[in-house]
Amino acid sequence: AALMLALLLPVHGYWREQHIEMRSEDIELKFLPSKQEVRLVHIPKTSGTALHQDATKLGKPMANTETCAYDPVEHCEDCDKWLATMIREPRSHVLSMFFHCTYSHQKVPRLYTRNDTSLSDARRKSLDYKAFDMWLEFFNSDWKLENGYYDCYHPRNMQSRYLTCADNRWKFSHGVGSMDMLKPDLEAAKETLNNMFYFGIKEEYETSLCMYVYQSTGQFPEACECGFEGKQLRTTEVSHSIPPHSVDDLNAKQIEQIDALTEVDVQLYDYATDLFWKRVAFAEARSGKKISQC
């Protein structure tokens, strides 16, 4: 949509940027005061660790917390007003949660010991995805609080849960504190995302990092610009020593079960990606720099 009007308005100590599109939809970008710290609402397995490390390398560090968006603990001065997060495509997110859990936690289903060197890579992969079936079935069955979540991650609508819960304990973020948390309020999750200083999309990590720098400094690094031939922007890769895995390896039943666990997150992701690209388009128009879809 074409931009009709651009305004810069000083509001409560930061520059509020607003543009009005043809459909009268408002896009807001917040710019970070020079000495203000950001709190990262680190939703597991969304590239939060990479963002935290890359932001630190770029001189804009964050307080990194894997707790609810409305965690009552003050992790840094005024940082409850300067929240950031990353959002991920739900199918790949659930698959990544499982692999992290099964390779890191003894209680999660596994069909072979990790030090068994007699298995081929193909056999290991086959057994991993059979264990994934067991894990999905556990959470898709008549799950109750007393069943637990293998002391790792509960996959049902995790991203929406993080954006709507209000506690500093992991059982309310990695896990769930009540049955009501299994289906978070979508509109409340959207509102949280809208009110955050920043959010990025894992599948568009480099563009997301460029947007973080822009909102932190008011400028894009040269390395973010399309056609730049100098030293490229270096981004962090975090594997946690987990083997490669892909949604391309999922069968129809697994996809169906994942979708049943993420009905709210799917809608949140669609909303987030749409809003993300509108914000990128606005930042490009305001800065006169092209950073995406080069």
Side-chain angles (χ1 to χ4, degrees), residues 106-269:
Q106 296 293 327
K107 296 181 181 180
V108 177
R110 61 179 62 177
L111 299 177
Y112 62 94
T113 58
R114 294 298 178 229
N115 58 359
D116 186 347
T117 59
S118 66
L119 297 175
S120 66
D121 289 345
R123 181 57 177 162
R124 285 175 180 269
K125 179 177 179 179
S126 174
L127 292 174
D128 281 341
Y129 278 86
K130 287 182 180 179
F132 184 47
D133 286 332
M134 297 167 61
W135 188 79
L136 288 173
E137 183 63 31
F138 173 78
F139 288 109
N140 267 296
S141 60
D142 187 22
W143 186 89
K144 296 180 176 60
L145 285 176
E146 54 266 30
N147 297 141
Y149 50 97
Y150 299 114
D151 290 338
C152 192
Y153 303 138
H154 195 305
R156 187 176 290 276
N157 294 314
M158 176 186 269
Q159 298 181 82
S160 303
R161 291 200 329 259
Y162 258 81
L163 297 185
T164 54
C165 63
D167 203 284
N168 67 327
R169 292 169 291 175
W170 276 6
K171 76 173 185 178
F172 285 88
S173 50
H174 287 190
V176 296
S178 69
M179 295 299 287
D180 291 340
M181 293 181 67
L182 295 177
K183 191 170 183 179
D185 185 316
L186 174 62
E187 295 307 314
K190 289 180 180 179
E191 183 177 1
T192 300
L193 202 65
N194 264 315
N195 290 336
M196 283 182 155
F197 154 63
Y198 162 88
F199 74 88
I201 303 294
K202 175 182 169 53
E203 288 72 30
E204 302 293 341
Y205 182 75
E206 287 192 9
T207 303
S208 296
L209 181 59
C210 290
M211 285 294 290
Y212 181 76
V213 176
Y214 179 68
Q215 290 181 242
S216 298
T217 67
Q219 295 181 329
F220 285 119
E222 282 188 316
C224 290
E225 297 178 34
C226 291
F228 179 71
E229 296 181 354
K231 187 176 181 180
Q232 297 299 302
L233 193 69
R234 296 185 64 182
T235 58
T236 300
E237 295 286 341
V238 182
S239 69
H240 298 289
S241 300
I242 295 168
H245 45 276
S246 170
V247 293
D248 293 338
D249 295 320
L250 298 175
N251 60 41
K253 182 178 179 181
Q254 289 167 339
I255 290 173
E256 180 181 1
Q257 288 189 307
I258 292 173
D259 290 350
L261 289 170
T262 57
E263 66 274 20
V264 181
D265 277 1
V266 167
Q267 297 175 79
L268 177 68
Y269 181 75

